[in-house]
Amino acid sequence: MRRSRSIPGAAFGASAYFLWGLFPAFFGLLAFASPGEVVAQRIVWTLVVVLAALALSGRIRELRGIGGRVWRLAAVASAAIALNWGVYVYGVISGHVVECALGYFINPLVTVAFGVVIFRERLTGAQWGALALGAGAVAVLTVDYGRPPVIALALACSFATYGLVKKVIPLDALRGIAAEGIVAAPFALAFAVALAITGHSEFTSGPAHTALMAATGPVTLVPLLLFAVAAQRVALSTMGLLQYLTPALQMAWGVAVAHEPMPASRWAGFALIWAALAIFTTEALLRARRARRTSPDAITASGPPASETRTTL
């Protein structure tokens, strides 16, 4: 990372979101295991990889200085991202990749709604219009599916919760992931051991299964590191645009590769979501431009809040 100063920050951001967009291809390979086992193994192996990264960089001792309040925040973040991972893996394995993509299209709108409800933030007329379109899209898709888009809403809400916690927790990417993993690892290990004892574990059923599950660690961490580098070099308004690359790729996979059904009514629901995102993004870009005009030093601080561009699949 230190030798990559000549690489544009946008390249790191695009690479991170591109890799996240390919997650349906990878997690589809884990259909041999239950979503619970996949999430448990992902928690464990992500922690192993991030602890190794901290040790190699001489930063492992920094975990000792984390206080009680920060550990409590890490526990909330850990619960939110574990739920997000579980729902996502279930969605991919059960053939609902398009609905998973919908969840990450909805996520910025849910984050804004959380800001209004929790932090009493004031919205512009354009932002209220975007939220209204988003609500209309959910209504249309509820009629289309014959049920509320539960997978999409669970992904959006759990990830918005994770983003809110990450916005206030005073830890960098590596230490934050390590703290979340340390909190969740005992539960994940207990679950994995219970599966092994009862004969329901797929982890040791063959070298290919073992390798694929162990690969969830680096697969999770690599795009996070790319994102961390990009976030330091690129305006958040640019990151806000790049974030839509992930659900777009996932939706393309669901339609073109997994051949999931997309009737006209479902396209109509997605069209409403995209219209809401277009309004929301345009308004954010205009706000960023005004901020740059009033303060030359505000370039890297402009655009949507960090929680709107934070993505950890």
Side-chain angles (χ1 to χ4, degrees):
M1 293 298 183
R2 293 177 180 176
R3 299 178 181 178
S4 59
R5 298 298 179 186
S6 61
I7 301 176
F12 285 98
S15 297
Y17 287 115
F18 180 78
L19 290 175
W20 281 320
L22 296 180
F23 269 20
F26 174 76
F27 285 101
L29 298 175
L30 300 174
F32 57 81
S34 67
E37 183 175 11
V38 173
V39 172
Q41 293 292 341
R42 188 179 183 184
I43 290 171
V44 171
W45 288 105
T46 299
L47 178 60
V48 169
V49 174
V50 76
L51 288 178
L54 285 170
L56 289 173
S57 59
R59 300 181 56 200
I60 196 72
R61 295 181 179 178
E62 295 178 13
L63 295 175
R64 299 177 182 175
I66 298 177
R69 175 180 174 276
V70 177
W71 280 114
R72 289 190 292 272
L73 288 173
V76 175
S78 181
I81 200 61
L83 174 62
N84 184 272
W85 286 357
V87 173
Y88 183 81
V89 172
Y90 168 78
V92 171
I93 292 176
S94 62
H96 293 86
V97 175
V98 171
E99 191 173 348
C100 289
L102 173 65
Y104 291 107
F105 276 126
I106 293 176
N107 177 68
L109 302 176
V110 174
T111 300
V112 172
F114 277 14
V116 173
V117 174
I118 299 174
F119 299 111
R120 306 298 181 185
E121 294 178 356
R122 295 182 179 181
L123 301 184
T124 65
Q127 288 173 322
W128 279 115
L131 288 179
L133 283 174
V138 171
V140 169
L141 290 167
T142 297
V143 174
D144 172 73
Y145 282 113
R147 58 170 176 80
V150 178
I151 293 175
L153 292 174
L155 286 173
C157 291
S158 61
F159 198 72
T161 301
Y162 181 74
L164 288 177
V165 177
K166 297 293 281 187
K167 186 177 180 179
V168 299
I169 194 168
L171 295 174
D172 59 83
L174 280 179
R175 286 196 302 157
I177 298 168
E180 294 158 21
I182 289 170
V183 170
F187 302 98
L189 281 171
F191 184 74
V193 170
L195 288 177
I197 292 174
T198 58
H200 293 92
S201 174
E202 293 291 337
F203 179 69
T204 57
S205 61
H209 289 186
T210 302
L212 281 170
M213 288 196 178
T216 57
V219 163
T220 298
L221 189 60
V222 168
L224 279 176
L225 295 178
L226 292 170
F227 175 83
V229 174
Q232 295 176 350
R233 303 185 184 185
V234 181
L236 289 180
S237 55
T238 302
M239 295 295 285
L241 293 175
L242 288 174
Q243 72 174 325
Y244 301 127
L245 177 62
T246 292
L249 287 172
Q250 293 180 357
M251 182 178 179
W253 180 273
V255 174
V257 179
H259 303 293
E260 295 183 16
M262 282 294 292
S265 55
R266 198 163 301 172
W267 281 113
F270 271 86
L272 287 174
I273 287 292
W274 293 331
L277 291 175
I279 294 172
F280 175 74
T281 304
T282 301
E283 196 276 340
L285 291 174
L286 290 174
R287 189 170 67 248
R289 181 176 297 179
R290 288 194 295 268
R292 285 195 295 268
R293 288 176 178 175
T294 56
S295 175
D297 296 330
I299 293 178
T300 58
S302 62
S307 58
E308 295 174 17
T309 61
R310 188 185 302 276
T311 304
T312 312
L313 298 178

